Amino acid sequence: MGNEADFLVLNPEATPLLKFRTEKTKTLEELLGVLMVMGDDRVIEKAIIMGQETRGRN
């Protein structure tokens, strides 16, 4: 109990357009905004649920 967590590993350079746009960001807020607006399932590199990797891109 208390040792459980879920994580997503995100790749802000998942697509050429996303890479171009995220290179222009200066703050974390801007980066997260770009990921929210332009990101899709390709941004998720890995999902870790209850300590187990459930998805990965190789």
Side-chain angles (χ1 to χ4, degrees):
M1 189 145 142
N3 295 321
E4 301 168 355
D6 299 336
F7 297 97
L8 289 177
V9 178
L10 304 178
N11 177 4
E13 299 179 354
T15 67
L17 183 58
L18 197 55
K19 179 179 180 182
F20 173 79
R21 183 57 186 91
T22 58
E23 287 174 347
K24 310 280 186 233
T25 62
K26 293 183 173 67
T27 66
L28 177 61
E29 289 83 2
E30 288 177 352
L31 176 61
L32 293 174
V34 169
L35 288 171
M36 286 190 297
V37 172
M38 298 179 67
D40 59 19
D41 62 317
R42 294 172 288 181
V43 172
I44 301 171
E45 283 291 316
K46 180 184 314 190
I48 302 167
I49 310 298
M50 300 285 292
Q52 301 293 315
E53 187 173 331
T54 60
R55 176 182 176 182
R57 292 196 186 269
N58 293 330

